Amino acid sequence: MGVFRSIAGWFSKRSFNWLGNSYFNYGSYVNDENILKSSDTFNLMKLISDQVALAEFVVEDVQTGKDSKDPRAAHALQVLECPNDYLTGFEFKKLLTNIYLLRGDVYPFYDGSQLHILNNAYSELTDAGIEKITVAGENVPRFMVRHIKNIGLNHLEGVGLLELAKETLEGVMNAEKALTDKYKKGGLMAFLLKLEAHLSPTNTTQTKTVKAILDQLEDIKDSGKTKMIPLGKGYEIEALESPVDDEKTLKYLSIYKKDLGKFFGLDKDLLDKLEEKDMEQAMMKLFTSCLKPIFKNVEEHLTILLFGKNSGLRLRFRHDRLDYVGMKTKTDIAYNLVRTSIAVPDDAREMLGFKRLNTEESSKLYISKDLVGLDRLEDVLKSTLKGGEDDG
């Protein structure tokens, strides 16, 4: 026990950051720090990680499927709400999701009171088929860490955007950088001074003329300013424009930026069209294609990390897809859920943003008369009236 305490203490004294190793290819770097400089990559990752971070954790009883009243559940939810001294619950979920998407592997670490995300963790399988995880050469006790993998074809390693889309990302980022740099520097326009005669350092007249021309060119600082430079015979000025072809670069970006969504399990074009037509459909598509698998994977690992195996408890994400539905649609949904006895009036009130009444009547299920077949309506009414007379 003392060994485990010392290891936990060793880990808790260290800061857990996620600045990772750089990946080098074709003369450019793609790493964790600059990956989000690509606007489309940032937009897609923000879309996914925000939805995960906005989802609420609940702990269910495996047997009943209802929210657990177990003290272990209450403690786990407190930890998840405030995982450590430097991250909130929202930030922890967002960080975990971003690492998962970028690297394909993320290592949450739990010392019994705080949750951290390990950096530079290394995993291997022993001959007995047991995963061994080390950080800086130190073994991490198995019950204190989980290895969440975006599983591909390897049983031990996940695959992330840095690996799957490295060449696409490099192309997109380099193209974006070329355009940005070009316009930062005023279009990279230079001037070429051409002389018919050879330059001679001993020709003072020639030297003075060249210097006067260069001084006037350097004096052009404001965009849109016109400068007239009279030139003598044998002197000519040509504009030397940037080798960056804007049209080709933009065409390249329009094609490959869309491809980035596919590495997240998203068809960005389809999602954009659905958003224009129906936000609810768009969010359902995002949930089914992308969020649901992430939820399931994280739920399973964190359940084992926080409660161990066969605890009878299960950690779940509760994600409200109705956030993107208009109030009129919400009202119709709430009405129909109560009408068909799928939900009680208090459920409908909560869905519409009102407080639950928590009365006996508001927590009952009701069957609407118009849900009874017309051929049975008279019999049902007579039965109800007869029951009322008997009660009297």
Side-chain angles (χ1 to χ4, degrees):
M1 192 68 182
V3 175
F4 289 146
R5 282 178 182 167
S6 65
I7 292 174
W10 184 90
F11 278 107
S12 64
K13 289 175 185 175
R14 283 154 175 77
S15 61
F16 296 89
N17 58 71
W18 67 293
L19 297 177
N21 297 323
S22 295
Y23 292 77
F24 181 74
N25 190 31
Y26 302 127
S28 62
Y29 287 95
V30 174
N31 57 37
D32 295 8
E33 289 180 289
N34 67 20
I35 190 74
L36 297 182
K37 289 181 181 177
S38 170
S39 57
D40 279 56
T41 310
F42 178 82
N43 182 46
L44 285 167
M45 287 192 65
K46 187 177 186 305
L47 177 66
I48 298 166
S49 61
D50 275 352
Q51 290 304 308
V52 177
L54 287 168
E56 296 291 333
F57 278 121
V58 295
V59 179
E60 292 181 353
D61 185 291
V62 173
Q63 295 290 337
T64 64
K66 296 181 180 179
D67 290 1
S68 174
K69 304 297 183 184
D70 193 302
R72 293 173 297 170
H75 175 69
L77 291 175
Q78 283 180 349
V79 172
L80 289 164
E81 187 175 342
C82 186
N84 51 54
D85 295 333
Y86 51 90
L87 288 174
T88 64
F90 179 91
E91 290 169 339
F92 178 83
K93 286 179 281 188
K94 193 167 172 64
L95 178 61
L96 183 144
T97 308
N98 283 337
I99 298 172
Y100 178 82
L101 293 172
L102 276 179
R103 296 183 180 177
D105 300 90
V106 61
Y107 295 85
F109 169 85
Y110 181 50
D111 64 6
S113 61
Q114 290 194 346
L115 268 173
H116 304 279
I117 295 175
L118 297 183
N119 180 52
N120 295 324
Y122 174 75
S123 60
E124 59 181 326
L125 282 184
T126 65
D127 293 338
I130 298 171
E131 187 175 25
K132 177 183 173 184
I133 298 172
T134 58
V135 176
E138 297 281 344
N139 288 338
V140 186
R142 287 167 51 205
F143 67 88
M144 298 175 75
V145 65
R146 293 299 299 179
H147 178 192
I148 307 179
K149 302 170 286 294
N150 184 16
I151 207 75
L153 297 177
N154 191 311
H155 58 279
L156 189 60
E157 296 177 0
V159 286
L161 188 67
L162 282 173
E163 182 180 347
L164 285 171
K166 185 163 60 175
E167 290 185 15
T168 303
L169 278 170
E170 282 168 349
V172 167
M173 290 174 66
N174 286 338
E176 285 181 335
K177 187 174 185 300
L179 280 179
T180 304
D181 286 349
K182 173 177 176 177
Y183 292 105
K184 269 185 181 178
K185 297 171 183 176
L188 293 179
M189 182 171 282
F191 294 97
L192 187 66
L193 180 63
K194 296 175 69 176
L195 298 178
E196 290 182 4
H198 292 291
L199 282 174
S200 173
T202 59
N203 190 333
T204 56
T205 304
Q206 186 186 64
T207 304
K208 286 180 181 179
T209 305
V210 171
K211 186 178 184 306
I213 294 170
L214 292 177
D215 287 345
Q216 291 189 63
L217 287 172
E218 289 172 2
D219 187 48
I220 304 174
K221 294 178 181 178
D222 299 328
S223 60
K225 183 176 179 180
T226 303
K227 185 83 172 179
M228 297 295 294
I229 304 176
L231 297 176
K233 186 179 179 183
Y235 294 90
E236 184 183 346
I237 292 178
E238 286 186 1
L240 186 66
E241 295 188 7
S242 166
V244 177
D245 188 326
D246 292 1
E247 190 176 346
K248 287 183 180 178
T249 304
L250 290 170
K251 192 176 291 185
Y252 174 91
L253 289 174
S254 69
I255 295 170
Y256 285 97
K257 276 192 173 185
K258 293 174 184 175
D259 281 349
L260 289 175
K262 297 174 185 176
F263 295 106
F264 292 106
L266 292 174
D267 185 331
K268 192 67 172 61
D269 282 345
L270 176 60
L271 199 64
D272 290 342
K273 288 176 183 175
L274 285 174
E275 283 182 2
E276 292 176 9
K277 179 183 176 184
D278 189 330
M279 183 58 80
E280 185 183 4
Q281 283 188 37
M283 292 312 297
M284 284 301 298
K285 177 64 180 172
L286 175 67
F287 178 78
T288 306
S289 302
C290 188
L291 296 176
K292 195 173 181 181
I294 296 174
F295 284 163
K296 182 69 173 175
N297 203 8
V298 173
E299 287 168 358
E300 291 180 349
H301 279 281
L302 290 186
T303 294
I304 298 172
L305 181 63
L306 294 170
F307 305 119
K309 297 179 181 178
N310 305 316
S311 64
L313 299 174
R314 176 173 53 210
L315 188 71
R316 296 290 297 271
F317 276 109
R318 187 166 287 167
H319 178 250
D320 191 359
R321 279 157 279 172
L322 292 177
D323 279 347
Y324 293 86
V325 176
M327 185 55 72
K328 182 181 183 303
T329 306
K330 274 188 181 180
T331 305
D332 291 341
I333 293 171
Y335 169 77
N336 285 316
L337 288 177
V338 174
R339 177 177 169 272
T340 54
S341 78
I342 293 173
V344 302
D346 264 355
D347 295 331
R349 286 180 61 86
E350 189 174 49
M351 183 189 303
L352 296 174
F354 301 110
K355 289 184 179 179
R356 301 177 77 93
L357 295 174
N358 292 319
T359 63
E360 184 180 352
E361 291 299 316
S362 68
S363 59
K364 284 183 178 178
L365 290 172
Y366 295 89
I367 297 291
S368 177
K369 290 177 184 177
D370 60 350
L371 292 177
V372 178
L374 288 175
D375 57 334
R376 295 184 54 240
L377 184 58
E378 187 177 353
D379 294 338
V380 171
L381 286 171
K382 286 180 180 177
S383 175
T384 303
L385 290 172
K386 184 179 179 182
E389 290 170 2
D390 291 344
D391 292 339

